Amino acid sequence: LVKGFDQFGQQAESRLSAVQPQLKGTREEVGALGRNFITNTAHAATWAASIALIYGALGLLRGGLRTLIDTGLQTARLGQVFRGVGGTTVQLRDDILALAAANGRSGKEALDAAISWSRAGLSRLQVQDAVKISLMAANVAEIDTITATERLQGVMRIYGLRIFEVRSVLSELNSISNEYNATNAAMLDGLSRSAAIAKQVGLPLEELIGLLGAAIGATGQTGANIGNAIKSITTAIGNPTLQRSLKQKYQIEVQADSGDLKSFSQILNEVYLKYQSLNELQRLGL
């Protein structure tokens, strides 16, 4: 048994001696590979950074050229609708780009708003003021500038407002938004759907804004839904069948002594007062 162990030990020592040169060579190869890997990685990183820098510069160049081309096209469009009252098209363009930068909006959307406002025949200062209002509305309502412009222009046209009065509309929207759980975007959306019919039935703009804000905040409905509801109610009140029903069932008279409809504000007030005196079943019917 001892003799067998001695022979096994001698064989193991012999095999280990044969493997050692191979292990040494392997270590040297691994070391060389490690050095080459580090060196190659450094070269690759430098190459990648250089390529990225080149592509980045080219991208900026392309973006700058695209912006320059777009601005040139928009300036040409602005020159077609701006009448040149109070300054040149280039001066107005520079004014608008400065406003865009000051309000954190893109020059493109600001120039689009300027083009839209200029179609109304406004002067340079008026366009500048109108675009500023549009940019402020876009920021507080978190919508794009051209949508804000279209909403404000609609209200301005329907109620016959001037530019400085449009600014007061924005202030009223902010005030209602702070008081009720209604966003500026929702109220602007509601205005776009109800302003025309509300003006026809004699509902003042201030009351319409308050009505929209209170209804949106109380019901949680969208501005579009509340605006459409107001439009539907005002249209329905003009129906003779509904007028007779309101008079017979609830003693609500929607017509004045002259035979004309009362103002929508007055009708709503009378409906509200009657509503307070009804039981639950009658309220559902009303």
Side-chain angles (χ1 to χ4, degrees):
L1 181 63
V2 173
K3 184 179 180 181
F5 273 116
D6 287 340
Q7 290 177 350
F8 177 78
Q10 292 174 0
Q11 292 174 0
E13 186 177 354
S14 175
R15 291 174 182 176
L16 180 60
S17 299
V19 170
Q20 281 179 343
Q22 297 178 10
L23 291 175
K24 182 179 179 182
T26 301
R27 284 197 300 268
E28 291 176 352
E29 290 178 3
V30 170
L33 285 174
R35 289 191 297 271
N36 290 337
F37 177 77
I38 294 172
T39 303
N40 292 338
T41 300
H43 287 313
T46 303
W47 176 81
S50 301
I51 294 300
L53 183 61
I54 293 172
Y55 278 123
L58 290 175
L60 289 173
L61 181 60
R62 282 198 301 270
L65 289 174
R66 183 73 264 172
T67 301
L68 185 61
I69 293 171
D70 289 342
T71 301
L73 293 173
Q74 287 179 298
T75 303
R77 291 173 54 205
L78 182 61
Q80 293 174 348
V81 293
F82 177 56
R83 299 180 181 179
V85 179
T88 66
T89 301
V90 173
Q91 288 175 323
L92 177 58
R93 179 203 64 194
D94 293 342
D95 294 338
I96 299 306
L97 291 177
L99 279 174
N103 287 272
R105 311 295 297 200
S106 72
K108 182 181 184 304
E109 59 180 324
L111 285 172
D112 282 339
I115 293 168
S116 182
W117 283 112
S118 294
R119 292 194 178 99
L122 304 180
S123 68
R124 174 189 169 190
L125 289 179
Q126 288 174 325
V127 173
Q128 184 178 352
D129 195 27
V131 171
K132 185 176 182 180
I133 296 171
S134 291
L135 294 171
M136 292 169 59
N139 282 335
V140 296
E142 297 181 349
I143 56 179
D144 62 90
T145 304
I146 196 62
T147 299
T149 299
E150 291 171 353
R151 298 281 191 269
L152 294 173
Q153 284 179 335
V155 174
M156 179 181 177
R157 182 177 60 256
I158 292 168
Y159 277 91
L161 305 178
R162 289 170 288 184
I163 294 298
F164 72 89
E165 292 174 314
V166 176
R167 185 185 293 273
S168 68
V169 170
L170 185 59
S171 298
E172 290 167 10
L173 289 171
N174 285 330
S175 177
I176 295 295
S177 178
N178 291 333
E179 185 171 353
Y180 298 96
N181 185 27
T183 66
N184 284 274
M187 286 187 287
L188 283 170
D189 204 8
L191 279 175
S192 69
R193 287 164 166 78
S194 60
I197 189 69
K199 179 66 168 60
Q200 291 180 14
V201 297
L203 184 64
L205 179 58
E206 294 81 4
E207 291 188 29
L208 176 58
I209 293 174
L211 184 61
L212 284 167
I216 293 169
T219 65
Q221 292 288 326
T222 64
N225 285 346
I226 297 300
N228 288 332
I230 292 174
K231 182 169 64 175
S232 298
I233 292 171
T234 53
T235 302
I237 285 177
N239 186 328
T241 302
L242 179 63
Q243 293 174 6
R244 287 193 297 268
S245 180
L246 287 172
K247 184 176 182 179
Q248 293 170 2
K249 292 183 179 180
Y250 304 101
Q251 294 75 52
I252 298 175
E253 181 61 75
V254 300
Q255 291 183 334
D257 294 337
S258 63
D260 297 328
L261 282 177
K262 298 177 182 177
S263 70
F264 187 67
S265 178
Q266 185 177 357
I267 293 172
L268 282 182
N269 185 55
E270 293 182 12
V271 169
Y272 174 76
L273 292 176
K274 174 59 65 174
Y275 185 83
Q276 304 305 307
S277 64
L278 301 178
N279 59 42
E280 286 300 320
L281 185 60
Q282 291 173 320
R283 287 183 176 185
L284 287 174
L286 181 57

